[in-house]
Short mmCIF file of all heavy atoms in Angstrom, two decimals:
data_model
loop_
_atom_site.label_atom_id
_atom_site.label_comp_id
_atom_site.label_asym_id
_atom_site.label_seq_id
_atom_site.Cartn_x
_atom_site.Cartn_y
_atom_site.Cartn_z
N GLN A 785 91.74 -3.88 -105.86
CA GLN A 785 92.43 -2.84 -105.09
C GLN A 785 92.04 -1.43 -105.52
O GLN A 785 91.94 -0.53 -104.69
CB GLN A 785 93.94 -2.99 -105.26
CG GLN A 785 94.53 -4.23 -104.61
CD GLN A 785 96.05 -4.20 -104.64
OE1 GLN A 785 96.68 -3.33 -104.05
NE2 GLN A 785 96.64 -5.17 -105.32
N PRO A 789 86.85 -0.85 -104.18
CA PRO A 789 86.60 -0.10 -102.94
C PRO A 789 85.71 1.13 -103.13
O PRO A 789 85.24 1.69 -102.14
CB PRO A 789 88.01 0.32 -102.48
CG PRO A 789 88.92 -0.68 -103.10
CD PRO A 789 88.31 -0.99 -104.44
N GLY A 791 82.82 1.32 -104.77
CA GLY A 791 81.39 1.06 -104.80
C GLY A 791 80.78 0.52 -106.07
O GLY A 791 79.55 0.55 -106.20
N ILE A 801 80.56 4.32 -117.23
CA ILE A 801 81.42 5.39 -116.72
C ILE A 801 81.92 6.34 -117.81
O ILE A 801 81.95 7.56 -117.59
CB ILE A 801 82.57 4.80 -115.86
CG1 ILE A 801 82.00 4.51 -114.47
CG2 ILE A 801 83.80 5.73 -115.81
CD1 ILE A 801 82.96 4.23 -113.39
N ARG A 805 81.54 11.69 -120.26
CA ARG A 805 82.66 12.33 -120.97
C ARG A 805 82.40 12.32 -122.48
O ARG A 805 82.63 13.32 -123.17
CB ARG A 805 83.97 11.61 -120.62
CG ARG A 805 85.19 12.04 -121.41
CD ARG A 805 85.50 13.53 -121.29
NE ARG A 805 85.69 13.96 -119.92
CZ ARG A 805 85.90 15.23 -119.56
NH1 ARG A 805 85.99 16.19 -120.48
NH2 ARG A 805 86.03 15.55 -118.29
N LYS A 808 79.79 15.01 -123.18
CA LYS A 808 80.30 16.39 -123.10
C LYS A 808 81.22 16.70 -124.28
O LYS A 808 81.16 17.78 -124.86
CB LYS A 808 81.05 16.61 -121.78
CG LYS A 808 81.60 18.03 -121.69
CD LYS A 808 82.15 18.41 -120.33
CE LYS A 808 82.67 19.86 -120.38
NZ LYS A 808 83.20 20.33 -119.11
N TYR A 853 73.23 6.87 -113.13
CA TYR A 853 73.16 8.07 -113.96
C TYR A 853 74.42 8.18 -114.79
O TYR A 853 75.51 8.05 -114.24
CB TYR A 853 73.01 9.32 -113.08
CG TYR A 853 73.05 10.62 -113.86
CD1 TYR A 853 71.90 11.15 -114.43
CD2 TYR A 853 74.26 11.30 -114.04
CE1 TYR A 853 71.96 12.33 -115.17
CE2 TYR A 853 74.32 12.47 -114.77
CZ TYR A 853 73.16 12.97 -115.34
OH TYR A 853 73.22 14.12 -116.08
N GLN A 902 90.95 2.68 -116.50
CA GLN A 902 92.27 2.77 -117.12
C GLN A 902 92.22 2.75 -118.64
O GLN A 902 93.24 2.60 -119.31
CB GLN A 902 93.19 1.66 -116.59
CG GLN A 902 93.40 1.71 -115.10
CD GLN A 902 93.91 3.07 -114.63
OE1 GLN A 902 94.85 3.62 -115.19
NE2 GLN A 902 93.27 3.63 -113.61
N MET A 903 91.02 2.93 -119.22
CA MET A 903 90.94 3.07 -120.68
C MET A 903 91.78 4.26 -121.13
O MET A 903 91.84 5.28 -120.44
CB MET A 903 89.49 3.32 -121.12
CG MET A 903 88.57 2.15 -120.96
SD MET A 903 86.87 2.61 -121.39
CE MET A 903 86.98 2.66 -123.19
N ARG B 71 82.35 -1.41 -97.01
CA ARG B 71 82.76 -1.43 -98.41
C ARG B 71 83.89 -2.43 -98.63
O ARG B 71 84.63 -2.75 -97.70
CB ARG B 71 83.16 -0.03 -98.87
CG ARG B 71 84.45 0.48 -98.31
CD ARG B 71 84.94 1.71 -99.04
NE ARG B 71 84.21 2.94 -98.72
CZ ARG B 71 84.07 3.96 -99.56
NH1 ARG B 71 84.62 3.91 -100.77
NH2 ARG B 71 83.42 5.03 -99.20
N GLN B 75 93.33 -5.59 -100.88
CA GLN B 75 94.34 -6.44 -100.23
C GLN B 75 95.65 -6.17 -100.98
O GLN B 75 95.83 -6.63 -102.10
CB GLN B 75 93.92 -7.90 -100.35
CG GLN B 75 94.82 -8.86 -99.62
CD GLN B 75 94.31 -10.29 -99.79
OE1 GLN B 75 93.12 -10.56 -99.59
NE2 GLN B 75 95.19 -11.19 -100.16
N THR B 80 102.10 -3.36 -104.93
CA THR B 80 101.25 -2.19 -104.69
C THR B 80 101.40 -1.64 -103.26
O THR B 80 100.79 -0.63 -102.93
CB THR B 80 99.76 -2.54 -104.91
OG1 THR B 80 99.35 -3.51 -103.93
CG2 THR B 80 99.52 -3.10 -106.30
N TRP B 84 99.68 1.86 -100.89
CA TRP B 84 98.83 1.82 -99.70
C TRP B 84 99.57 2.33 -98.47
O TRP B 84 98.95 2.90 -97.57
CB TRP B 84 98.27 0.41 -99.50
CG TRP B 84 97.39 0.04 -100.67
CD1 TRP B 84 97.61 -0.93 -101.59
CD2 TRP B 84 96.16 0.68 -101.06
NE1 TRP B 84 96.61 -0.94 -102.54
CE2 TRP B 84 95.70 0.02 -102.23
CE3 TRP B 84 95.41 1.73 -100.54
CZ2 TRP B 84 94.53 0.40 -102.87
CZ3 TRP B 84 94.24 2.10 -101.18
CH2 TRP B 84 93.81 1.43 -102.34
N SER B 132 85.02 11.64 -115.47
CA SER B 132 83.70 11.09 -115.79
C SER B 132 83.18 10.35 -114.56
O SER B 132 83.95 10.10 -113.62
CB SER B 132 83.76 10.17 -117.00
OG SER B 132 82.52 10.10 -117.66
N ILE B 135 76.29 8.03 -111.26
CA ILE B 135 75.70 8.12 -109.92
C ILE B 135 74.90 6.85 -109.72
O ILE B 135 73.86 6.64 -110.37
CB ILE B 135 74.82 9.37 -109.76
CG1 ILE B 135 75.66 10.63 -110.04
CG2 ILE B 135 74.23 9.42 -108.34
CD1 ILE B 135 74.84 11.91 -110.04
N TYR B 147 75.14 7.50 -104.96
CA TYR B 147 76.52 7.95 -104.73
C TYR B 147 77.27 7.86 -106.05
O TYR B 147 76.98 7.02 -106.89
CB TYR B 147 77.22 7.10 -103.66
CG TYR B 147 77.34 5.65 -104.02
CD1 TYR B 147 78.49 5.15 -104.65
CD2 TYR B 147 76.30 4.76 -103.77
CE1 TYR B 147 78.58 3.82 -105.01
CE2 TYR B 147 76.38 3.43 -104.13
CZ TYR B 147 77.53 2.96 -104.74
OH TYR B 147 77.61 1.64 -105.11
N ARG B 159 94.79 8.33 -114.67
CA ARG B 159 93.42 8.37 -114.15
C ARG B 159 93.31 7.39 -112.99
O ARG B 159 93.98 6.36 -112.99
CB ARG B 159 92.45 7.88 -115.22
CG ARG B 159 92.21 8.80 -116.37
CD ARG B 159 90.83 8.43 -116.92
NE ARG B 159 90.54 9.14 -118.15
CZ ARG B 159 90.84 8.66 -119.33
NH1 ARG B 159 91.46 7.52 -119.45
NH2 ARG B 159 90.50 9.34 -120.40
N ASP B 177 85.28 18.14 -115.42
CA ASP B 177 86.44 19.03 -115.48
C ASP B 177 86.58 19.94 -114.25
O ASP B 177 87.48 20.77 -114.20
CB ASP B 177 86.44 19.89 -116.77
CG ASP B 177 86.46 19.02 -118.02
OD1 ASP B 177 87.31 18.11 -118.08
OD2 ASP B 177 85.62 19.22 -118.92
#
Side-chain angles (χ1 to χ4, degrees):
Chain A
Q785 292 189 63
I801 279 194
R805 173 58 57 183
K808 179 170 180 180
Y853 175 86
Q902 300 306 312
M903 290 176 75
Chain B
R71 71 167 75 208
Q75 185 179 311
T80 65
W84 297 114
S132 206
I135 301 175
Y147 61 94
R159 288 205 187 91
D177 301 310

